[in-house]
Amino acid sequence: MFSASQSSKAQFLDKARQAREERRELKERERAAVQIQALVRRFLCRCHLQKEIRREVEDFFGTAEPGASKRSALSVFRIARKLLFVFNHKEDKERFEKLCRCILNSMDVENEPKVWYVSLALSKDLTLLWIKQIKDILWFCCEFLKQLKPDILQDSRLVNLHLTMLVTFTDTSTWKILRGKGETLRPAMNHICANIMGHLNQKGFYSVLQILLTNGLARSRPSLSKGSLTAIFSLALRPVVAAQFSDNLLRSFLIHVMSVPAIMTHLATLTPERLAVVESHDLFRKFIIFLSREAQCRDVCVCLEGSHTLCLLGNLVYLGSLNDKVLEDETAHFVGVLIHMLSYCQKYVSQKKSNLTHWHPVLGWFSQTVDYGLNESMPLLTKQLQHLWGVHMIRILFSDVLSKKLLENQEIAQLPTQPVSPQNSLPMKNLFKRAFQKSASVRNILKPVGGKRVDSAEVQKVCSICVLYQTTLTTLTQIRLQILTGLTYLDDLLPKLWAFICELGPQGGLKLFLECLNNDTEESKRLLAMLMLFCDCSRHLITILDDIEVYEEQISFKLEELVTISSFLNSFVFKMIWDGIVENARGETLELFHSVHGWLMVLYERDCRRRFAPEDHWLRKDLKPSVLFQELDKDKKRAQLLLQYIPHVIPHKNRVLLFRNMVTKEKEKLGLVETSSASPHVTHITIRRSRMLEDGYEQLRQLSQNAMKGVIRVKFVNDLGVDEAGIDQDGVFKEFLEEIIKKVFDPALNLFKTTSGDERLYPSPTSYIHENYLQLFEFVGKMLGKAVYEGIVVDVPFASFFLSQLLGHHHSVFYSSVDELPSLDSEFYKNLTSIKRYDGDISDLGLTLSYDEDVMGQLVCHELVPGGKTIPVTNENKISYIHLMAHFRMHTQIKSQTAALISGFRSIIKPEWIRMFSAPELQRLISGDNAEIDLEDLKKHTVYYGGFHGSHRVIIWLWDILANDFSPEERAMFLKFVTSCSRPPLLGFAYLKPPFSIRCVEVSDDQDTGDTLGSVLRGFFTIRKKEPGGRLPTSSTCFNLLKLPNYSKKSILREKLRYAISMNTGFELS
């Protein structure tokens, strides 16, 4: 019973709880329904009210009564208040336009104070309400301006409307209410305008102007009209002028207005009156002084991303080009500001593309996001920046340097000079003296004399300017060549800058700059930046000048000065390497090294092509080759760097020894040298004399790289198919190699052609007529490489430009095809350079960017650029035409042939082995020394056979004839007769393989069976079987062997020998 009562109680409580919850839910639903009804009623009421207000506004603006334009200001105020109460940007756009037009119309009415909208500002009750209303209206104008596109006609009209509103109510000058007696109200009204302006500034007025200006101007052709641009710039200036150029407003103006791409150029073009206002307020000076404070400049740069910092820079440079006086007065501040801004941009300039970089048309790869909307305006920005390296600004900035006069020769006699190194005091040859005397203007040879304190104001100023231009070069990577060309435009800037450098420090020149390298001070960095700028500009200048301009007209630098400068550079680079500075160099130091080294190598290569420096000028007397070789053996870094960068400081003979040493080491490493424990692998080939080239090509092209470098034994088969007698101990292979090279380089085969002047060889452009011509060129490259590898000199004179390609010089950024063109065709070079100097309109000549060539009877047109035959050559593109033409003739035409030959050559000779040689030196390595034959050296290394000996009378006669009776040309012919090459080996006859030998012969070659005891004794004692007067000397060039009959008279020997060498009766190849 107890449990039953308990369960009924629980049920009762549960029912009571459910009833309670149902009542609560009901109340909640009722309350929610009331709330929803209230919201809906409120929404419907609001919609109804908005509809009523909008209808009222439309009725107000829709009345077309005659007096509609003269509505009272109060009625306009009230209707505006209603419109602003319900204002929605999308729905009320047209109504707002009508309101603006109505307000502006009211301001134009004459003598109707009650109509003027601005009159409400004088009402005590409405002043504050009116001010709030006009502030709201003007800010809505700004909001619309942000969204409008000036290039759309309808939008451009609205832009003008909203701008007119802003112009009208931020300045009292057009308010009719202030005319006459109302003038007394002007201060109060100006105060109201300032209040309005301040409110707009707080809301972001300058950001609005920036967006509008960028939309209208950041394009190739501006879409803003003259009136719009005038209005915008006037509005932008008003707060700045009103605040008396306060720092805060100058900052906003710089960040939002001056950073708009090329705005100053657009002002100058569209509305020069505004530019005059900028000048009248001396704004350029104020900008520079404001930015000269480092913290403020950094703040502005940080607010602007890199592209916009560059746009601000362009506008400042453009303003500077228009304000000479300010530029002269504030040079230090101007230079400092530009350096800071460029350095800021440089932090984001990347060397290569990555996922985090973006392409910028002026800065290159850029590690910040780039506003691609600015790309259209980049050409205009570049034009602005060009003023920085234009003649006008360079004259102003470098005035201290350019104002100096270079002393004439008469004055220099009284000046003490201190040369950079003993090399400068080397006696000049008469040839050089004559060349110097032809110089149009005579001035002193600029040598380091010292005497100017490096901490003086003048030096610091020039250093700062050099830092500016050096920073410009490293930041504006995509227009670097433009900048260098601008800096080298004035012929006297670089020599005067060199004269300035010569005066620095107590002694001038080398010592000062070497000290700077070891000092990590700001002053040292600035001095090194000056040297770096001088090197970069000078290198660019010499690269673009042709030989006539360098050697005859001597533009900018006299040849004597190039000698002095190159001596300084040579010593500086040597010291940097030898003192271990380059080993650990990073950043600016490494850039300086590459800059100085680049200028040095341009001069060195120019001198190699055509001498201007004295003999041994490039050598370092204080560098002992033995010490260098020891360090190379120990793998010392400085020795390796010296060989990599400036091998020319080592005498040529020592470099050849080093080359031979490298070859020998490789042979030992590959097991190609005979040792007591092992013999090298030998490759045997059989060659038919009648098909020497074909057999050689077929059998050798299959060989591996190491087999080609190894021992190759040749067995010749004669025309009857019988093996020729004889054992090849290198001599037969030498004969085979010489014969192959003689055949492939014969112009009649058309693998190679000769140049028009000195008949030097280069690949024939029409060699493609041969089947497998590229494989043939690769084979030729291997054969040439093998000859050099084995030290066999071959008489193959190559064109200089082709040797440069063999060395890889044509890949250098400083390589100029035009400079090498005379080595291909001097007449063609003269014709091209005459185009460069043509004073008239070059288009009159009817040239196009194409080259017509007669190829085997057919006229073929080669386009130098795509579509070149339709592009005329003009005064603007004639320099490009010259370079394109030179590049086509020397590279494009024979590109595949050259690449194949180089590939074959480098498979035998490593590129790093020959990089230590210049083009003429490589020719000497291939073809032997072009010096006169050293008969004493030849005599010392001669081997005698058949009874001949050094004291034999025939041998004594022979050496006497060669020394006293033969001319140098005949001695060269004699050497060619016995060795097949008219030039002696580079390191002397000790390196001639096989050694030169003379053998006494009694019979003709076809009866010769070799030396016997009887023949040797007869030769030794001068016993003749019969008088050999009718026989000629012969030779076996494969063994470097002279076969000489035992003549009875010296006169007969002289006559027969002269006849033999002139008729080339040697080469009876035994």
Side-chain angles (χ1 to χ4, degrees), residues 206-225:
Y206 275 113
S207 296
V208 173
L209 295 184
Q210 182 182 17
I211 292 167
L212 183 59
L213 284 167
T214 305
N215 287 340
L217 300 180
R219 51 188 62 242
S220 49
R221 291 182 63 185
S223 57
L224 286 174
S225 64

Side-chain angles (χ1 to χ4, degrees), residues 61 66 752 830 847 971:
F61 292 124
F752 287 82
K830 283 177 187 172
L847 298 169
R971 285 194 284 273

